[in-house]
Structure formats: structure tokens, C-alpha cells
Amino acid sequence: MKRKRRNFTNSFKTKVVLEALKERETIQQLAVKHEIHPNQITTWKKQFLDHADAAFVQDGNQDELQKTGEQLDELYKQIGQMKVETDWLKKSCCDAG
């Protein structure tokens, strides 16, 4: 019978990675403790370190993203309005001719 694939939460992964970074226990000991393969811990640790700079993203960047999203919504609204007007003009032009 095929074994079901396990899914781990982000909080569990973070907990394991932080334990690995403390280096109080070896990767092998952590793997036995948490019942996962040592390569999995190594992979999570590498991913964590590669994306560590994202933890220090400033709130200013979030504000910029929100403003950009609002501007994009406004532009889509304008495009929609112009399309409606163009369709109306085409229809009224063709009906008059």
C-alpha cells in the first residue's frame, strides 16, 4: 500500500530550521527527533537562508505595493469606460450611415 505524502506547516519548518541553526544537535539527531529525512532539513535550511532578507521588508514597500494596486485598478476602470464609449460610438455611427 502506498504511503500518503506528509505536508508540513510553515511554523513546523521554521521551528526545525531554527533548531538546526542553533547547532545544539546535529542534523541527523534533529531528523530522528522530528521523524523526517536529514536532506529535508538541509533543504529547508537552505530555503530559509536564501529568503532571509524578506523578513526585513519595510512597511514602506507594502504602501508602495498598495498604491500601485490602486493605480492599476483605476487604469482598468478607465480602459473599461473607454471600451464602452468606443463600442457605443461604433454602434451609433453604423446605425446613422
Side-chain angles (χ1 to χ4, degrees):
M1 184 173 184
K2 196 171 187 180
R3 191 171 147 186
K4 185 179 178 189
R5 187 176 189 154
R6 297 188 300 172
N7 292 322
F8 300 101
T9 63
N10 289 338
S11 60
F12 175 78
K13 293 177 186 179
T14 304
K15 181 178 117 178
V16 173
V17 168
L18 290 176
E19 286 182 31
L21 289 173
K22 289 178 185 176
E23 296 182 348
R24 293 184 182 154
E25 297 176 277
T26 65
I27 299 291
Q28 185 64 35
Q29 290 170 331
L30 289 172
V32 171
K33 177 180 173 183
H34 295 290
E35 299 177 355
I36 54 179
H37 197 278
N39 289 348
Q40 188 66 68
I41 295 175
T42 305
T43 301
W44 290 345
K45 185 177 172 182
K46 182 178 181 325
Q47 289 174 348
F48 184 85
L49 293 174
D50 287 346
H51 301 335
D53 59 336
F56 300 105
V57 173
Q58 296 178 354
D59 291 336
N61 291 345
Q62 291 293 345
D63 292 339
E64 288 178 26
L65 287 174
Q66 185 177 4
K67 286 179 185 177
T68 303
E70 290 171 359
Q71 289 174 343
L72 190 60
D73 290 341
E74 180 63 30
L75 290 173
Y76 280 132
K77 183 179 174 183
Q78 289 177 5
I79 290 171
Q81 180 67 31
M82 289 179 186
K83 178 153 177 43
V84 168
E85 291 173 1
T86 304
D87 291 345
W88 182 82
L89 287 171
K90 284 180 182 178
K91 184 177 178 182
S92 63
C93 176
C94 292
D95 290 343

